[in-house]
Amino acid sequence: MHLPDSIDRALTAAFGSAPTRAWSVGGGMINESARVEVGGASYFVKWKASAPPNLFAAEARGLALLRATDTFRIPQVIAHAEPTGDTPAYLILEWLET
């Protein structure tokens, strides 16, 4: 899978290193999503060009609240951002194997 250039740049900025691999992740109909490898570690990234304001900020907050319960495994939020210029809104999460 080839990531959009703007998402590739966002990942490089978040990690200080460019992704080395990306795989399409199915199952979602609302956002684009991929599993990416950066520095030997895998992450889940999703993005949406026409995201409503604070879409991924709200999701990141919800995930943080769930993680705080220490009830079950919730992925750690790495980064999220609102759309800017040609970069869509995005959310980067720790990859969890199923």
Side-chain angles (χ1 to χ4, degrees):
M1 167 184 205
H2 177 73
L3 293 171
D5 290 341
S6 58
I7 294 299
D8 192 80
R9 286 191 303 272
L11 288 163
T12 300
F15 294 106
S17 180
T20 53
R21 292 183 68 191
W23 302 263
S24 181
V25 177
M29 294 173 40
I30 297 171
N31 305 297
E32 300 292 328
S33 60
R35 175 182 178 174
V36 297
E37 189 174 278
V38 180
S42 290
Y43 301 92
F44 176 77
V45 60
K46 63 181 176 176
W47 62 95
K48 183 173 182 74
S50 60
N54 300 310
L55 175 71
F56 293 132
E59 184 171 348
R61 176 73 178 137
L63 289 168
L65 290 169
L66 287 169
R67 275 180 67 90
T69 67
D70 204 25
T71 307
F72 49 95
R73 185 78 170 100
I74 302 295
Q76 179 177 348
V77 175
I78 307 300
H80 62 86
E82 294 294 305
T84 57
D86 70 338
T87 304
Y90 64 86
L91 176 68
I92 304 169
L93 303 172
E94 163 189 28
W95 178 264
L96 298 180
E97 290 293 337
T98 57

Coordinates of all heavy atoms in Angstrom, one line a residue:
M1 N 0.8 -1.2 0.0 CA 0.0 0.0 0.0 C 0.9 1.2 0.0 O 1.9 1.3 0.7 CB -0.9 0.0 1.2 CG -1.6 1.3 1.5 SD -2.5 1.4 3.0 CE -3.6 2.6 2.6
H2 N 0.5 2.2 -0.8 CA 1.2 3.5 -0.8 C 0.4 4.5 0.0 O -0.8 4.7 -0.3 CB 1.4 4.0 -2.2 CG 2.0 5.3 -2.2 ND1 3.4 5.5 -2.0 CD2 1.5 6.6 -2.5 CE1 3.6 6.8 -2.1 NE2 2.5 7.5 -2.4
L3 N 1.0 5.0 1.1 CA 0.3 6.0 1.9 C 0.2 7.4 1.2 O 1.2 7.7 0.4 CB 1.0 6.3 3.2 CG 1.0 5.1 4.2 CD1 2.0 5.4 5.3 CD2 -0.3 4.8 4.8
P4 N -0.8 8.2 1.4 CA -0.8 9.5 0.8 C 0.4 10.3 1.4 O 0.8 10.1 2.5 CB -2.1 10.1 1.4 CG -3.0 9.0 1.7 CD -2.0 7.9 2.1
D5 N 1.0 11.1 0.5 CA 2.2 11.9 0.9 C 2.0 12.6 2.2 O 2.9 12.7 3.1 CB 2.6 12.8 -0.2 CG 3.2 12.1 -1.4 OD1 3.6 10.9 -1.3 OD2 3.2 12.7 -2.5
S6 N 0.8 13.2 2.4 CA 0.6 14.0 3.6 C 0.6 13.2 4.9 O 1.1 13.6 5.9 CB -0.7 14.8 3.5 OG -1.8 13.9 3.3
I7 N 0.1 11.9 4.8 CA 0.1 11.0 5.9 C 1.5 10.5 6.2 O 2.0 10.4 7.3 CB -0.9 9.9 5.7 CG1 -2.3 10.4 5.7 CG2 -0.7 8.8 6.8 CD1 -2.8 11.1 7.0
D8 N 2.2 10.3 5.1 CA 3.7 9.9 5.3 C 4.4 11.0 6.0 O 5.2 10.7 6.9 CB 4.2 9.6 3.9 CG 5.6 8.9 4.0 OD1 5.6 7.7 4.2 OD2 6.6 9.6 3.8
R9 N 4.2 12.2 5.6 CA 4.9 13.3 6.3 C 4.5 13.5 7.7 O 5.3 13.7 8.6 CB 4.6 14.7 5.5 CG 5.3 14.8 4.2 CD 5.2 16.2 3.7 NE 3.9 16.7 3.5 CZ 3.1 16.5 2.4 NH1 3.7 15.8 1.3 NH2 1.9 17.0 2.3
A10 N 3.2 13.3 8.0 CA 2.7 13.3 9.4 C 3.4 12.2 10.3 O 3.8 12.5 11.4 CB 1.2 13.2 9.5
L11 N 3.5 11.0 9.7 CA 4.1 9.9 10.5 C 5.6 10.2 10.7 O 6.1 10.0 11.8 CB 3.9 8.6 9.7 CG 2.5 8.1 9.7 CD1 2.3 7.0 8.6 CD2 2.2 7.5 11.1
T12 N 6.2 10.7 9.7 CA 7.7 11.1 9.8 C 7.9 12.1 10.9 O 8.8 12.0 11.7 CB 8.2 11.5 8.4 OG1 8.1 10.5 7.5 CG2 9.7 11.9 8.5
A13 N 7.0 13.1 10.9 CA 7.1 14.2 11.9 C 6.8 13.6 13.3 O 7.5 13.9 14.3 CB 6.1 15.3 11.7
A14 N 5.9 12.7 13.5 CA 5.5 12.1 14.8 C 6.6 11.2 15.3 O 6.9 11.2 16.5 CB 4.2 11.3 14.7
F15 N 7.3 10.5 14.4 CA 8.3 9.5 14.8 C 9.8 9.9 14.6 O 10.7 9.2 15.0 CB 8.1 8.1 14.2 CG 6.8 7.5 14.6 CD1 5.7 7.5 13.8 CD2 6.6 7.0 15.9 CE1 4.5 6.9 14.2 CE2 5.5 6.4 16.3 CZ 4.4 6.3 15.4
G16 N 10.0 10.9 13.8 CA 11.3 11.3 13.4 C 11.9 10.4 12.4 O 13.1 10.4 12.2
S17 N 11.1 9.5 11.8 CA 11.6 8.6 10.9 C 10.4 8.2 10.0 O 9.3 8.1 10.4 CB 12.1 7.3 11.6 OG 12.6 6.4 10.7
A18 N 10.7 8.0 8.7 CA 9.6 7.6 7.7 C 9.2 6.2 7.9 O 10.0 5.3 8.3 CB 10.1 7.9 6.3
P19 N 7.9 5.9 7.6 CA 7.4 4.5 7.6 C 8.2 3.7 6.6 O 8.5 4.2 5.5 CB 6.0 4.7 7.2 CG 5.6 6.1 7.4 CD 6.9 6.9 7.2
T20 N 8.5 2.5 6.9 CA 9.1 1.6 6.0 C 8.2 0.6 5.3 O 8.5 0.1 4.2 CB 10.2 0.7 6.8 OG1 9.6 0.1 7.9 CG2 11.3 1.6 7.2
R21 N 7.0 0.4 5.9 CA 6.0 -0.5 5.3 C 4.6 0.0 5.7 O 4.5 0.6 6.7 CB 6.1 -1.9 5.7 CG 7.4 -2.6 5.3 CD 7.5 -4.0 5.7 NE 6.4 -4.8 5.0 CZ 6.1 -6.1 5.4 NH1 6.7 -6.7 6.4 NH2 5.2 -6.7 4.7
A22 N 3.6 -0.3 4.8 CA 2.3 0.1 5.1 C 1.4 -1.0 4.5 O 1.6 -1.5 3.4 CB 1.9 1.4 4.6
W23 N 0.4 -1.4 5.3 CA -0.6 -2.4 4.8 C -2.0 -1.8 5.0 O -2.3 -1.2 6.0 CB -0.6 -3.7 5.7 CG 0.7 -4.4 5.8 CD1 1.0 -5.5 5.0 CD2 1.7 -4.2 6.7 NE1 2.3 -5.9 5.4 CE2 2.7 -5.1 6.4 CE3 2.0 -3.2 7.7 CZ2 3.9 -5.2 7.2 CZ3 3.1 -3.3 8.4 CH2 4.1 -4.2 8.1
S24 N -2.8 -2.0 4.0 CA -4.2 -1.5 4.1 C -4.9 -2.4 5.2 O -4.7 -3.6 5.3 CB -4.9 -1.7 2.8 OG -6.3 -1.3 2.9
V25 N -5.8 -1.7 6.0 CA -6.5 -2.4 7.0 C -8.0 -2.2 6.7 O -8.5 -1.1 6.5 CB -6.3 -1.8 8.4 CG1 -7.1 -2.4 9.5 CG2 -4.8 -1.9 8.8
G26 N -8.7 -3.3 6.5 CA -10.1 -3.3 6.1 C -11.0 -3.2 7.3 O -10.5 -3.2 8.5
G27 N -12.3 -3.1 7.1 CA -13.3 -3.1 8.1 C -13.9 -1.8 8.4 O -15.0 -1.8 9.0
G28 N -13.3 -0.7 8.0 CA -13.9 0.6 8.3 C -14.5 1.2 7.0 O -13.9 1.0 5.9
M29 N -15.6 1.8 7.1 CA -16.2 2.5 6.0 C -16.2 4.0 6.1 O -16.6 4.7 5.2 CB -17.7 2.0 5.8 CG -17.8 0.5 5.5 SD -19.4 -0.2 5.5 CE -20.4 1.0 4.8
I30 N -15.8 4.5 7.2 CA -15.8 5.9 7.5 C -14.5 6.6 7.2 O -14.4 7.7 6.7 CB -16.3 6.2 8.9 CG1 -17.7 5.7 9.1 CG2 -16.2 7.7 9.3 CD1 -18.2 5.7 10.5
N31 N -13.4 5.9 7.6 CA -12.0 6.5 7.5 C -11.2 5.6 6.6 O -11.4 4.4 6.5 CB -11.4 6.6 8.9 CG -12.2 7.4 9.8 OD1 -12.5 8.6 9.6 ND2 -12.7 6.8 10.9
E32 N -10.1 6.2 6.1 CA -9.0 5.4 5.5 C -8.2 4.9 6.6 O -8.0 5.6 7.7 CB -8.2 6.2 4.6 CG -8.9 6.8 3.4 CD -9.4 5.8 2.4 OE1 -8.7 4.8 2.2 OE2 -10.4 6.0 1.8
S33 N -7.6 3.7 6.5 CA -6.8 3.2 7.6 C -5.7 2.3 7.1 O -5.8 1.7 6.0 CB -7.6 2.4 8.6 OG -8.3 1.3 8.0
A34 N -4.6 2.2 7.9 CA -3.5 1.3 7.5 C -2.7 0.9 8.8 O -2.7 1.6 9.8 CB -2.5 2.1 6.6
R35 N -2.0 -0.2 8.7 CA -1.0 -0.6 9.6 C 0.3 -0.1 9.0 O 0.6 -0.4 7.8 CB -1.0 -2.1 9.8 CG 0.1 -2.6 10.7 CD 0.1 -4.2 10.7 NE 1.2 -4.6 11.6 CZ 1.3 -5.9 11.9 NH1 0.5 -6.8 11.4 NH2 2.3 -6.3 12.6
V36 N 1.1 0.6 9.8 CA 2.4 1.1 9.3 C 3.5 0.6 10.2 O 3.3 0.4 11.4 CB 2.4 2.6 9.2 CG1 1.4 3.1 8.2 CG2 2.2 3.3 10.5
E37 N 4.7 0.4 9.6 CA 5.8 0.0 10.4 C 6.8 1.2 10.3 O 7.1 1.7 9.2 CB 6.5 -1.2 9.8 CG 7.6 -1.8 10.6 CD 8.0 -3.1 10.0 OE1 7.4 -4.1 10.3 OE2 9.1 -3.1 9.3
V38 N 7.3 1.6 11.5 CA 8.3 2.7 11.6 C 9.3 2.2 12.6 O 8.9 1.8 13.8 CB 7.6 4.0 12.1 CG1 8.7 5.1 12.2 CG2 6.5 4.4 11.2
G39 N 10.5 2.1 12.2 CA 11.6 1.7 13.2 C 11.4 0.3 13.7 O 11.8 0.1 14.9
G40 N 10.8 -0.6 13.0 CA 10.6 -1.9 13.4 C 9.4 -2.2 14.3 O 9.1 -3.3 14.6
A41 N 8.6 -1.1 14.6 CA 7.4 -1.2 15.4 C 6.2 -0.9 14.5 O 6.3 -0.2 13.5 CB 7.4 -0.3 16.6
S42 N 5.1 -1.5 14.8 CA 3.8 -1.3 14.0 C 2.9 -0.4 14.7 O 2.8 -0.4 16.0 CB 3.1 -2.7 13.8 OG 3.9 -3.5 12.9
Y43 N 2.2 0.4 13.9 CA 1.2 1.3 14.4 C -0.1 1.3 13.5 O 0.0 0.9 12.4 CB 1.7 2.8 14.4 CG 3.0 2.9 15.2 CD1 4.2 2.7 14.7 CD2 2.9 3.1 16.6 CE1 5.4 2.8 15.4 CE2 4.1 3.2 17.4 CZ 5.3 3.0 16.8 OH 6.4 3.1 17.5
F44 N -1.2 1.7 14.1 CA -2.4 1.8 13.3 C -2.6 3.3 13.1 O -2.5 4.1 14.0 CB -3.6 1.3 14.2 CG -4.9 1.4 13.5 CD1 -5.3 0.6 12.5 CD2 -5.8 2.4 14.0 CE1 -6.5 0.8 11.8 CE2 -7.0 2.6 13.4 CZ -7.4 1.8 12.3
V45 N -2.9 3.7 11.8 CA -3.2 5.1 11.5 C -4.4 5.1 10.7 O -4.7 4.3 9.9 CB -2.0 5.7 10.8 CG1 -1.7 5.0 9.5 CG2 -2.2 7.2 10.5
K46 N -5.3 6.1 11.0 CA -6.5 6.4 10.2 C -6.6 7.8 10.0 O -6.1 8.7 10.7 CB -7.7 5.8 10.9 CG -8.1 6.3 12.2 CD -9.4 5.6 12.6 CE -9.9 6.0 14.0 NZ -11.1 5.3 14.3
W47 N -7.2 8.2 8.8 CA -7.3 9.5 8.4 C -8.6 9.8 7.7 O -9.2 8.8 7.2 CB -6.1 10.0 7.6 CG -5.9 9.2 6.3 CD1 -6.3 9.6 5.1 CD2 -5.2 8.0 6.1 NE1 -5.9 8.7 4.1 CE2 -5.3 7.7 4.8 CE3 -4.6 7.1 7.0 CZ2 -4.7 6.5 4.2 CZ3 -4.0 5.9 6.5 CH2 -4.1 5.6 5.1
K48 N -9.0 11.0 7.7 CA -10.2 11.4 7.0 C -10.1 12.9 6.5 O -9.9 13.8 7.3 CB -11.5 11.3 7.9 CG -12.8 11.6 7.2 CD -13.9 11.2 8.1 CE -15.3 11.5 7.5 NZ -15.6 10.4 6.5
A49 N -10.2 13.1 5.2 CA -10.0 14.4 4.7 C -11.2 15.3 5.1 O -10.9 16.5 5.4 CB -10.0 14.3 3.1
S50 N -12.4 14.8 5.2 CA -13.5 15.7 5.5 C -14.0 15.4 7.0 O -15.2 15.4 7.2 CB -14.7 15.4 4.5 OG -15.1 14.1 4.6
A51 N -13.1 15.2 7.9 CA -13.5 14.9 9.3 C -14.1 16.1 9.9 O -13.7 17.3 9.7 CB -12.2 14.5 10.1
P52 N -15.2 15.9 10.7 CA -15.7 17.0 11.5 C -14.7 17.5 12.5 O -13.8 16.7 12.9 CB -16.9 16.4 12.2 CG -17.0 15.0 11.8 CD -15.9 14.6 10.9
P53 N -14.8 18.7 12.9 CA -13.9 19.3 13.9 C -13.8 18.4 15.2 O -14.8 17.9 15.7 CB -14.4 20.6 14.3 CG -15.3 21.0 13.1 CD -15.8 19.7 12.6
N54 N -12.6 18.1 15.6 CA -12.3 17.4 16.9 C -12.7 15.9 16.8 O -12.8 15.3 17.9 CB -13.0 18.1 18.1 CG -12.5 19.5 18.3 OD1 -11.3 19.7 18.3 ND2 -13.4 20.4 18.4
L55 N -12.9 15.4 15.6 CA -13.3 13.9 15.6 C -12.2 13.1 16.2 O -12.6 12.3 17.1 CB -13.4 13.5 14.1 CG -13.7 12.0 13.8 CD1 -15.1 11.7 14.3 CD2 -13.5 11.7 12.4
F56 N -11.0 13.2 15.9 CA -10.0 12.3 16.4 C -9.5 12.7 17.8 O -9.1 11.9 18.6 CB -8.8 12.1 15.5 CG -9.2 11.4 14.2 CD1 -8.8 11.9 13.0 CD2 -9.9 10.2 14.3 CE1 -9.2 11.2 11.8 CE2 -10.3 9.5 13.1 CZ -9.9 10.0 11.9
A57 N -9.7 14.0 18.1 CA -9.4 14.5 19.5 C -10.4 13.8 20.5 O -10.0 13.4 21.6 CB -9.5 16.0 19.6
A58 N -11.6 13.7 20.1 CA -12.6 13.1 20.9 C -12.4 11.6 21.1 O -12.5 11.0 22.2 CB -14.0 13.3 20.4
E59 N -12.0 11.0 20.0 CA -11.6 9.5 20.0 C -10.4 9.3 20.9 O -10.4 8.4 21.7 CB -11.4 9.0 18.7 CG -11.2 7.5 18.7 CD -11.1 6.8 17.3 OE1 -11.5 7.5 16.3 OE2 -10.7 5.7 17.2
A60 N -9.4 10.1 20.8 CA -8.2 10.0 21.6 C -8.6 10.2 23.1 O -8.1 9.4 23.9 CB -7.2 11.1 21.2
R61 N -9.4 11.1 23.4 CA -9.8 11.3 24.8 C -10.6 10.1 25.3 O -10.4 9.6 26.4 CB -10.7 12.6 24.9 CG -11.3 12.8 26.3 CD -10.2 13.3 27.2 NE -10.8 13.6 28.5 CZ -10.3 13.3 29.7 NH1 -9.1 12.7 29.7 NH2 -10.9 13.5 30.8
G62 N -11.5 9.6 24.5 CA -12.2 8.4 24.9 C -11.3 7.2 25.2 O -11.5 6.4 26.1
L63 N -10.4 7.0 24.3 CA -9.4 5.9 24.5 C -8.6 6.1 25.7 O -8.3 5.2 26.5 CB -8.5 5.8 23.3 CG -9.2 5.3 22.0 CD1 -8.2 5.5 20.8 CD2 -9.6 3.8 22.1
A64 N -8.2 7.4 26.0 CA -7.4 7.6 27.3 C -8.3 7.3 28.5 O -7.8 6.7 29.5 CB -7.0 9.1 27.3
L65 N -9.6 7.7 28.5 CA -10.4 7.3 29.6 C -10.6 5.8 29.8 O -10.6 5.3 30.9 CB -11.8 8.0 29.4 CG -11.8 9.5 29.5 CD1 -13.2 10.1 29.0 CD2 -11.5 10.0 30.9
L66 N -10.7 5.1 28.7 CA -10.8 3.6 28.8 C -9.5 3.0 29.3 O -9.5 2.1 30.1 CB -11.1 3.1 27.4 CG -12.6 3.3 26.9 CD1 -12.7 2.9 25.5 CD2 -13.5 2.5 27.8
R67 N -8.3 3.5 28.8 CA -7.0 3.0 29.3 C -6.9 3.2 30.8 O -6.3 2.4 31.5 CB -5.9 3.7 28.6 CG -5.5 3.1 27.3 CD -4.4 3.8 26.6 NE -3.1 3.7 27.3 CZ -2.2 2.8 27.2 NH1 -2.4 1.8 26.3 NH2 -1.1 2.8 27.9
A68 N -7.4 4.4 31.3 CA -7.3 4.7 32.7 C -8.0 3.7 33.6 O -7.7 3.6 34.8 CB -7.8 6.1 32.9
T69 N -9.0 3.0 33.1 CA -9.7 2.0 33.9 C -8.9 0.8 34.2 O -9.2 0.0 35.1 CB -11.0 1.6 33.2 OG1 -10.7 0.8 32.1 CG2 -11.9 2.8 32.9
D70 N -7.9 0.6 33.3 CA -7.0 -0.6 33.4 C -7.8 -1.9 33.5 O -7.5 -2.8 34.2 CB -6.1 -0.5 34.7 CG -4.8 -1.3 34.5 OD1 -4.4 -1.6 33.4 OD2 -4.3 -1.7 35.6
T71 N -8.9 -1.9 32.7 CA -9.8 -3.0 32.7 C -9.5 -4.0 31.6 O -9.5 -5.2 31.8 CB -11.3 -2.6 32.5 OG1 -11.6 -1.6 33.5 CG2 -12.3 -3.7 32.6
F72 N -9.2 -3.5 30.5 CA -8.8 -4.3 29.3 C -7.8 -3.5 28.5 O -7.6 -2.3 28.7 CB -10.0 -4.8 28.5 CG -11.0 -3.8 28.1 CD1 -10.9 -3.2 26.9 CD2 -12.0 -3.4 29.0 CE1 -11.8 -2.2 26.6 CE2 -12.9 -2.4 28.7 CZ -12.8 -1.8 27.4
R73 N -7.2 -4.2 27.5 CA -6.1 -3.6 26.7 C -6.7 -2.6 25.7 O -7.5 -3.0 24.9 CB -5.4 -4.7 26.0 CG -4.2 -4.3 25.2 CD -3.0 -4.0 26.2 NE -1.8 -3.8 25.4 CZ -1.3 -2.6 25.1 NH1 -1.8 -1.5 25.6 NH2 -0.2 -2.5 24.4
I74 N -6.2 -1.4 25.8 CA -6.6 -0.3 24.9 C -5.4 0.3 24.3 O -4.4 0.5 25.0 CB -7.3 0.9 25.7 CG1 -8.6 0.3 26.5 CG2 -7.7 2.0 24.8 CD1 -9.7 -0.1 25.6
P75 N -5.4 0.5 23.0 CA -4.2 1.0 22.4 C -3.8 2.4 22.8 O -4.7 3.2 23.1 CB -4.5 1.0 20.9 CG -6.0 1.1 20.8 CD -6.5 0.3 22.0
Q76 N -2.5 2.7 22.9 CA -2.0 4.0 23.3 C -2.1 4.9 22.2 O -1.8 4.6 21.0 CB -0.6 3.9 23.8 CG 0.0 5.2 24.2 CD 1.4 5.1 24.7 OE1 1.9 4.0 25.0 NE2 2.0 6.2 24.9
V77 N -2.6 6.1 22.4 CA -2.7 7.2 21.4 C -1.2 7.7 21.2 O -0.6 8.2 22.2 CB -3.7 8.3 21.7 CG1 -3.6 9.4 20.7 CG2 -5.1 7.7 21.8
I78 N -0.7 7.7 20.0 CA 0.6 8.3 19.7 C 0.5 9.7 19.3 O 1.2 10.6 19.8 CB 1.3 7.5 18.6 CG1 1.3 6.0 18.9 CG2 2.7 8.0 18.3 CD1 2.0 5.6 20.2
A79 N -0.5 10.0 18.4 CA -0.7 11.4 17.9 C -2.0 11.5 17.2 O -2.6 10.5 16.8 CB 0.4 11.8 17.0
H80 N -2.5 12.7 17.2 CA -3.7 13.0 16.4 C -3.6 14.5 16.0 O -3.0 15.3 16.7 CB -5.0 12.7 17.1 CG -5.2 13.5 18.4 ND1 -5.8 14.7 18.4 CD2 -4.9 13.2 19.7 CE1 -5.8 15.2 19.7 NE2 -5.3 14.3 20.4
A81 N -4.3 14.8 14.9 CA -4.3 16.2 14.5 C -5.5 16.5 13.6 O -6.1 15.7 13.0 CB -3.0 16.5 13.6
E82 N -5.9 17.8 13.7 CA -6.9 18.3 12.8 C -6.4 18.5 11.4 O -5.1 18.5 11.2 CB -7.4 19.7 13.3 CG -8.1 19.6 14.7 CD -9.4 18.9 14.7 OE1 -10.3 19.3 13.9 OE2 -9.5 17.9 15.4
P83 N -7.2 18.6 10.4 CA -6.7 18.8 9.0 C -6.0 20.2 8.9 O -6.5 21.1 9.5 CB -8.0 18.7 8.2 CG -9.1 19.0 9.1 CD -8.7 18.6 10.5
T84 N -5.0 20.2 8.2 CA -4.2 21.4 7.8 C -3.7 21.3 6.4 O -3.1 20.3 6.0 CB -3.1 21.7 8.8 OG1 -2.2 20.6 8.7 CG2 -3.5 21.9 10.2
G85 N -4.0 22.4 5.6 CA -3.5 22.4 4.3 C -4.0 21.1 3.5 O -5.2 20.8 3.5
D86 N -3.0 20.3 3.0 CA -3.4 19.1 2.3 C -3.4 17.9 3.2 O -3.6 16.8 2.7 CB -2.5 18.9 1.1 CG -1.0 18.5 1.5 OD1 -0.6 18.8 2.6 OD2 -0.3 18.0 0.6
T87 N -3.1 18.1 4.5 CA -3.1 16.9 5.4 C -4.4 16.7 6.0 O -5.0 17.6 6.7 CB -2.0 17.2 6.5 OG1 -0.7 17.4 5.9 CG2 -1.9 16.0 7.4
P88 N -5.0 15.5 5.9 CA -6.3 15.3 6.5 C -6.2 15.1 8.0 O -5.1 14.9 8.5 CB -6.7 14.0 5.8 CG -5.5 13.3 5.5 CD -4.5 14.4 5.1
A89 N -7.3 15.1 8.7 CA -7.3 14.8 10.1 C -6.8 13.3 10.2 O -7.1 12.5 9.4 CB -8.7 14.9 10.7
Y90 N -6.0 13.1 11.3 CA -5.5 11.7 11.5 C -5.4 11.3 12.9 O -5.3 12.2 13.8 CB -4.2 11.5 10.7 CG -3.0 12.3 11.3 CD1 -2.3 11.9 12.4 CD2 -2.7 13.6 10.7 CE1 -1.2 12.7 12.9 CE2 -1.7 14.3 11.2 CZ -0.9 13.9 12.3 OH 0.1 14.7 12.8
L91 N -5.3 10.0 13.2 CA -5.1 9.5 14.5 C -4.1 8.3 14.3 O -4.2 7.5 13.5 CB -6.4 8.9 15.0 CG -6.4 8.2 16.4 CD1 -6.0 9.1 17.5 CD2 -7.7 7.5 16.6
I92 N -3.0 8.3 15.2 CA -2.0 7.3 15.2 C -2.1 6.6 16.5 O -2.0 7.2 17.6 CB -0.6 7.8 15.0 CG1 -0.5 8.7 13.7 CG2 0.4 6.7 15.0 CD1 0.8 9.5 13.6
L93 N -2.2 5.2 16.5 CA -2.4 4.4 17.7 C -1.3 3.3 17.7 O -0.8 2.9 16.6 CB -3.7 3.7 17.7 CG -5.0 4.6 17.7 CD1 -6.2 3.7 17.6 CD2 -5.0 5.5 18.9
E94 N -1.0 2.8 18.9 CA -0.2 1.6 19.0 C -0.9 0.5 18.3 O -2.2 0.4 18.3 CB -0.1 1.4 20.5 CG 0.3 0.0 20.9 CD 0.1 -0.2 22.4 OE1 -0.8 0.4 23.1 OE2 0.9 -1.0 23.0
W95 N -0.2 -0.4 17.6 CA -0.8 -1.5 17.0 C -1.0 -2.7 18.0 O 0.0 -3.0 18.7 CB 0.1 -2.0 15.8 CG -0.5 -3.2 15.1 CD1 -0.1 -4.5 15.4 CD2 -1.5 -3.3 14.1 NE1 -0.8 -5.4 14.6 CE2 -1.7 -4.6 13.8 CE3 -2.2 -2.3 13.5 CZ2 -2.6 -5.0 12.8 CZ3 -3.2 -2.7 12.5 CH2 -3.3 -4.0 12.2
L96 N -2.1 -3.2 18.0 CA -2.4 -4.4 18.9 C -2.7 -5.6 18.0 O -3.5 -5.5 17.2 CB -3.6 -4.1 19.8 CG -3.5 -3.0 20.8 CD1 -4.7 -2.9 21.7 CD2 -2.3 -3.1 21.7
E97 N -1.9 -6.7 18.3 CA -2.2 -7.9 17.5 C -3.5 -8.5 18.1 O -3.8 -8.4 19.3 CB -1.1 -8.9 17.7 CG 0.2 -8.5 17.0 CD 0.1 -8.5 15.5 OE1 -0.7 -9.2 15.0 OE2 1.0 -7.8 14.9
T98 N -4.3 -9.1 17.2 CA -5.5 -9.7 17.6 C -5.4 -11.2 17.6 O -4.5 -11.8 17.1 CB -6.7 -9.3 16.7 OG1 -6.4 -9.7 15.4 CG2 -7.0 -7.8 16.8

